[in-house]
């Protein structure tokens, strides 16, 4: 089994900062792209930022210059540093990762890649 566990959400005033973390664990052979999405009730989940294994990044226009995505491959962890937060950033933030799982614990056979999601963490920005 593979799990993504997020942390770092909360309540912050407009203009403030938060840092989200997401750690992948379990029977992992390799992790490919990782990213952060967000969702507001009644709306579709949208991409916030993504990062490849090599460190190439992609951001939604609405967060460029304010958010920074990074990853620590040794820790199987992806981060989202959010600065200059606005009320419209309020949402549930979900971690996503494209992962090749192992066939089983201790078995070094790579299974086909699939998408995994975290449980979501609430970010609320008060104006």
């Amino acid at each position: 089994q593979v799990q993504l566990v997020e942390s770092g959400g909360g309540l912050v005033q407009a203009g403030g900062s938060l840092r989200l973390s997401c750690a992948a664990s379990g029977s992992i052979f390799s992790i490919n792209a990782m990213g952060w999405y967000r969702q507001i009730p009644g709306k579709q989940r949208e991409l916030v930022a993504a990062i490849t294994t090599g460190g190439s990044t992609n951001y939604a226009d609405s967060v460029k210059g304010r958010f920074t995505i990074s990853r620590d491959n040794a820790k199987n962890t992806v981060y989202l540093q959010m600065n200059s937060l606005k009320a419209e950033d309020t949402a549930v933030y979900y971690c996503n990762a494209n992962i090749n799982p192992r066939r089983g614990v201790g078995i070094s056979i790579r299974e086909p890649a699939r998408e995994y999601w975290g449980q979501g963490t609430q970010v609320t920005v008060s104006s």
Side-chain angles (χ1 to χ4, degrees), residues 91-109:
V92 178
Y93 284 71
Y94 294 92
C95 173
N96 169 270
N98 183 273
I99 295 175
N100 290 91
R102 295 179 183 273
R103 181 162 294 178
V105 177
I107 299 175
S108 294
I109 297 176

Side-chain angles (χ1 to χ4, degrees), residues 49-101:
I51 185 167
T52 66
T53 304
S56 297
T57 58
N58 181 41
Y59 294 94
D61 288 343
S62 59
V63 307
K64 282 181 181 176
R66 299 188 298 122
F67 291 10
T68 302
I69 189 171
S70 61
R71 64 190 286 174
D72 185 333
N73 292 329
K75 295 181 179 179
N76 291 342
T77 299
V78 62
Y79 306 96
L80 186 67
Q81 178 66 45
M82 303 185 293
N83 298 329
S84 302
L85 281 160
K86 305 176 181 180
E88 51 263 44
D89 294 317
T90 295
V92 178
Y93 284 71
Y94 294 92
C95 173
N96 169 270
N98 183 273
I99 295 175
N100 290 91

